[in-house]
């Protein structure tokens, strides 16, 4: 009802305002369906100004607004603007609050061929998340790593590093291993789903599923979103794993599709393990992303040593780590390689997905039409979109999987669209090809049927968050509306919205701003004589306008709860936590980042250490036990020292050279019982880095001296 009333309202408004307007004869472009938005803010007013790129086809603009978490736009426009106006200032904003804006552009065009054309009123759309000093996102929720059991051991080091990276960005992390399933197996799909449901039941904080390796591929539906009759039937349906309350609706009883010429995987008959559902009325609850490089032999290369699926996955996890930690830096711009255009039919405006998203994220001046491989092989672009007539391994005018295997792709977030390859469970498939490429691509989506909406990433939401909203989207976000004699009340002119085939290839936890703020240094936690936890740290490099947030968790990979009530500007914080067992503390630096979404408080990666607490005093007669751990050794950057005190005592920690000369005093305090953690950045008392060589850590406790040799390397 709301949708019908909305269209009636717009149609009547347009009819009265533009009844004498004439259609523009200019050749229609896909970008005409995307309003390209920049955001500017004024903290003093406060206000948010939307500015959009002028389009000569425009007959008028309409601006709508909502809070990010709201599920409806404002009932009427907050602004109705003439075609010559290309900006709007919203003064009804609050600092710290995250808003979302929709800008609609009305234009008139001739639809169809020259011999059979009609005048149509049309609308293009632009979206932006925006705010002023938006409150920091202290945690992203919990991600469930679902790992192919055959990959858990050979990739143990890389998976452990991934868990550390995820924790560093504020994710809780759970992990399960599941059976490797190469060929379609409906029983394996259900078994994997049951393991996911069990994990969620045990930890309802899980909001994201990260499929790593060859995890059973669900198939579902009677659909052909690429409009090819021989491609009708069941398509891969990863979002099946993201439905919790709705999974019971995935039946295998009614659809019976066997089309001549189709591949075996698309056939869908009752009882074959492939589900009936094409579109569910209820939303998926969990975001889902898949890193699956099975059956990609084009990317096996003797020269690079990436000769099998395991090594392809290792390579993906390696470049993922480099990006998350700021070691892969790409130009903050985007390219569009459109080989469809918009005429003669408006629904071929596939690349408006690229224009709409990239402009909102990076600014419309930073997105341009460019050839995919010519550009990305010699320069970098954080975002890239390409579309063209397709096969399972190619998109006309963009390229093919062979080119992805032997040509650099200097992008991270990619979108591709064309026939067939959206059905991604296929040998050397093009949609998975960016993940297997080098040096930097990490995600890809089949964006056009349906269109995807990534503008939330501008305020540091994860790509999985955008994937979930895009999958669940029916008419909240729109690629276009058309009014014709056939659709007098208007219709959202698109295919594939809310259908089960939408899928994110790549890591769903990635964000655009994971490493914009430097980490704190030398984080230490001790339990003082009053049995309080004293946390100290050193400021990061480039500490201008930095403040600090303090976190605590009783689970190493659980959610870290913020424990300070106001931002901390000193380099120490005292906690008074009564607990038996190991407690993990973290300090994150925080700074305001300004971008094309306004400004938000961005956080550094977590720097984590732990202490073991006891809630009662220990008898003085208990035997003294240092339980000393010093690591890593050899050391090049940061030395960690962990030790135990079983009673109240004075502890002094010194570092000397081989001649016994004092280099630095790391601690000189009275400590309570418990495990204490000290981090040292390998500098002397004058804050100068030590030369390579042998040094000694001397701990003096309860009249006893403990000495450990360390080897400093460069």
């Amino acid at each position: 009802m709301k949708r019908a009333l909305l269209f009636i309202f717009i149609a009547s408004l347009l009819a009265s305002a533009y009844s004498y307007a004439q259609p523009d004869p200019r050749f229609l472009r896909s970008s005409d369906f995307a309003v390209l938005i920049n955001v500017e803010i004024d903290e003093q007013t406060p206000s948010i100004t939307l500015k959009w790129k002028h389009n000569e086809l425009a007959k008028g603009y309409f601006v709508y607004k909502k809070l990010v978490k709201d599920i409806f736009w404002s009932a009427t426009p907050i602004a109705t603007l003439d075609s010559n106006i290309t900006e709007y200032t919203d003064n009804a904003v609050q600092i710290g609050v995250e808003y979302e804006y929709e800008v609609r552009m009305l234009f008139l065009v001739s639809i169809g061929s020259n011999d059979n054309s009609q005048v149509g009123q049309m609308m293009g759309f632009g979206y932006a998340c925006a705010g002023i000093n938006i409150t920091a996102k202290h945690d992203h929720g919990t991600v469930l790593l679902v790992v192919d059991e055959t990959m858990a051991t050979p990739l143990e080091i890389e998976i452990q590093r991934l868990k550390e990276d995820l924790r560093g960005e504020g994710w809780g992390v759970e992990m399960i291993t599941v059976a490797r399933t190469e060929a379609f197996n409906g029983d394996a799909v259900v078994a994997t789903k049951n393991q996911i449901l069990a994990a969620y039941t045990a930890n309802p904080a899980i909001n994201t599923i990260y499929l790593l390796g060859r995890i059973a591929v669900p198939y579902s539906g009677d659909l052909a979103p690429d409009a090819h009759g021989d491609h009708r039937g069941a398509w891969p349906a990863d979002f099946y794993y993201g439905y919790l309350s709705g999974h019971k609706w995935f039946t295998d009883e009614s659809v019976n599709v066997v089309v001549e010429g189709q591949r075996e995987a698309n056939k869908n008959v009752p009882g074959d393990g492939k589900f009936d559902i094409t579109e569910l009325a209820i939303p998926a609850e969990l975001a889902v992303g898949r890193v699956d490089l099975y059956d990609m032999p084009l990317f096996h290369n003797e020269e690079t040593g990436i000769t099998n699926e395991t090594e392809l996955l290792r390579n993906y996890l390696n470049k993922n780590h480099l990006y998350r930690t700021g070691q892969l830096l790409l130009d903050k711009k985007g390219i569009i390689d459109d080989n469809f255009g918009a005429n003669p039919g408006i629904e071929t405006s596939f690349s408006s997905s690229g224009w709409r998203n990239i402009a909102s994220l990076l600014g419309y001046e930073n997105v341009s039409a460019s050839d995919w491989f010519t550009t990305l092989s010699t320069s970098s672009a954080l975002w890239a979109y390409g579309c063209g007539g397709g096969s399972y391994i190619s998109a006309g005018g963009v390229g093919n999987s062979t080119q992805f295997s032997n040509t650099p792709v200097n992008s991270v977030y990619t979108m591709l669209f064309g026939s067939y390859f959206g059905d991604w469970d296929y040998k050397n498939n093009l949609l998975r090809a960016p993940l297997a490429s080098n040096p930097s691509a990490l995600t890809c989506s089949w964006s056009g049927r349906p269109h995807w909406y990534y503008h939330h990433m501008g305020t540091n939401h994860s790509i999985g968050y955008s994937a979930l909203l895009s999958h669940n989207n029916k008419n909240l976000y729109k690629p276009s509306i058309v009014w014709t004699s056939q659709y007098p009340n208007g219709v959202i002119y698109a295919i594939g919205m809310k259908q089960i085939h939408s899928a994110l290839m790549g890591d769903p936890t990635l964000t655009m701003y994971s490493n914009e703020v430097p980490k704190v240094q030398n984080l230490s936690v001790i339990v003082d004589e009053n049995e309080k936890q004293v946390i100290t740290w050193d400021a990061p490099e480039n500490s201008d306008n930095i403040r600090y947030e303090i976190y605590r968790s009783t689970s190493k990979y659980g959610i870290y709860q913020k424990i300070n009530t106001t931002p901390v500007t000193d380099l120490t914080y005292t906690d008074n936590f009564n607990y038996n067992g190991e407690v993990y503390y973290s300090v994150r630096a925080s700074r305001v980042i300004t971008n094309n979404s306004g400004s938000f408080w961005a956080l550094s990666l977590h720097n984590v250490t732990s202490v073991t607490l006891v809630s009662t005093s220990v008898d003085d007669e208990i035997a003294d036990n240092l339980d000393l751990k010093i690591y890593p050794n050899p050391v090049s950057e940061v030395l960690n020292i962990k030790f135990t005190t079983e009673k109240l005592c004075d502890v002094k920690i010194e570092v000397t050279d081989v001649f016994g000369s004092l280099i630095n005093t790391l601690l000189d305090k009275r400590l309570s019982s418990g495990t204490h953690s000290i981090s040292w950045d390998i500098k002397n008392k004058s804050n100068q880095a030590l030369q390579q060589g042998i040094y000694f850590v001397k701990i003096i406790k309860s009249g006893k001296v403990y000495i450990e040799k360390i080897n400093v390397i460069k």
Side-chain angles (χ1 to χ4, degrees), residues 563-672:
I563 59 176
N564 57 305
T565 55
T566 58
V568 175
T569 55
D570 295 330
L571 299 178
T572 184
Y573 184 86
T574 300
D575 190 25
N576 187 15
F577 187 47
N578 186 20
Y579 184 77
N580 275 308
E582 192 162 18
V583 179
Y584 298 86
Y585 284 98
S586 167
V587 177
R588 302 177 79 179
S590 182
R591 172 188 289 155
V592 170
I593 297 293
T594 301
N595 63 5
N596 199 55
S597 292
S599 62
F600 63 93
W601 282 98
L603 295 162
S604 72
L605 300 176
H606 278 285
N607 194 332
V608 180
T609 191
S610 66
V611 294
T612 301
L613 305 180
V614 292
S615 60
T616 58
S617 61
V618 178
D619 194 312
D620 285 348
E621 298 301 320
I622 292 180
D624 191 37
N625 176 25
L626 188 65
D627 193 21
L628 177 64
K629 295 181 178 66
I630 296 180
Y631 61 94
N633 193 7
V635 60
S636 59
E637 295 181 357
V638 176
L639 185 73
N640 298 296
I641 304 169
K642 296 189 78 169
F643 61 96
T644 300
T645 55
E646 295 181 327
K647 58 186 178 181
L648 185 68
C649 61
D650 294 317
V651 178
K652 189 173 187 178
I653 302 178
E654 298 178 337
V655 180
T656 67
D657 61 18
V658 293
F659 302 105
S661 300
L662 180 65
I663 298 296
N664 207 339
T665 299
L666 307 184
L667 180 70
D668 190 357
K669 281 184 176 291
R670 171 158 286 204
L671 303 182
S672 181

Side-chain angles (χ1 to χ4, degrees), residues 183-210:
F184 173 75
N185 184 319
D187 291 338
V189 168
V190 173
T192 300
K193 177 62 172 287
N194 287 337
Q195 286 186 252
I196 290 171
L197 289 174
Y200 177 83
T201 300
N203 185 357
I206 291 171
N207 63 3
T208 301
I209 300 172
Y210 184 157

Side-chain angles (χ1 to χ4, degrees), residues 133-393:
N133 298 350
I134 297 169
T135 303
K137 295 173 176 60
H138 295 286
D139 74 79
H140 293 288
T142 294
V143 57
L144 177 65
L145 294 177
V146 182
V147 179
D148 170 353
E149 63 184 7
T150 68
M151 296 296 171
T153 297
L155 297 176
E156 181 179 7
I157 293 173
E158 289 78 14
I159 292 171
Q160 180 60 33
R161 183 184 62 197
L162 173 64
K163 291 170 67 176
E164 294 292 332
D165 287 345
L166 290 167
R167 181 179 70 167
E169 292 178 18
W171 289 90
V173 186
E174 298 280 355
M175 176 175 156
I176 59 174
T177 58
V178 299
R180 177 179 177 84
T181 309
E182 295 185 358
F184 173 75
N185 184 319
D187 291 338
V189 168
V190 173
T192 300
K193 177 62 172 287
N194 287 337
Q195 286 186 252
I196 290 171
L197 289 174
Y200 177 83
T201 300
N203 185 357
I206 291 171
N207 63 3
T208 301
I209 300 172
Y210 184 157
L211 305 173
L212 180 61
R214 187 57 180 176
I215 310 300
V217 180
Y219 275 76
S220 189
D222 177 6
L223 69 163
D226 59 1
H228 289 275
D230 64 349
H231 205 184
R232 176 187 161 199
W235 278 39
D238 269 353
F239 261 103
Y240 163 71
Y241 291 132
Y243 284 90
L244 299 172
S245 58
H247 76 283
K248 61 185 177 182
W249 299 109
F250 283 84
T251 58
D252 179 19
E253 302 168 352
S254 59
V255 170
N256 193 341
V257 180
V258 178
V259 178
E260 185 178 352
Q262 73 182 157
R263 74 186 189 101
E264 191 67 28
N266 299 129
K267 297 175 182 178
N268 191 357
V269 299
D272 64 354
K274 299 171 187 174
F275 301 115
D276 302 319
I277 289 294
T278 294
E279 177 183 327
L280 264 176
I282 64 172
E285 291 102 320
L286 307 181
V288 183
R290 176 183 287 261
V291 178
D292 181 350
L293 299 178
Y294 166 71
D295 204 17
M296 301 288 281
L298 272 177
F299 294 85
H300 299 173
N301 188 321
E302 293 287 345
E303 293 183 7
T304 63
I306 304 174
T307 57
N308 54 46
E309 178 189 350
T310 303
E311 294 308 315
L312 279 175
L313 288 173
R314 191 188 318 278
N315 186 62
Y316 178 90
L317 293 172
N318 285 340
K319 62 182 180 177
N320 185 300
H321 173 70
L322 292 175
Y323 172 71
R324 303 186 97 115
T325 54
Q327 300 175 72
L328 263 181
L329 298 176
L330 289 86
D331 292 337
K332 289 184 178 178
K333 66 180 183 180
I335 67 160
I336 311 291
D337 188 357
D338 181 1
N339 298 280
F340 279 122
N343 275 1
I346 54 174
E347 209 277 317
T348 55
S349 59
F350 305 120
S351 74
S352 65
S353 264
W355 292 105
R356 184 180 299 110
N357 283 302
I358 300 172
S360 289
L361 293 171
L362 304 177
Y364 59 69
E365 67 279 6
N366 293 316
V367 56
S368 61
S370 303
D371 180 75
W372 184 282
F373 282 104
T374 301
T375 304
L376 297 180
S377 63
T378 57
S379 61
S380 69
L382 187 62
W383 284 84
Y385 182 97
C387 64
S391 72
Y392 287 107
I393 60 171

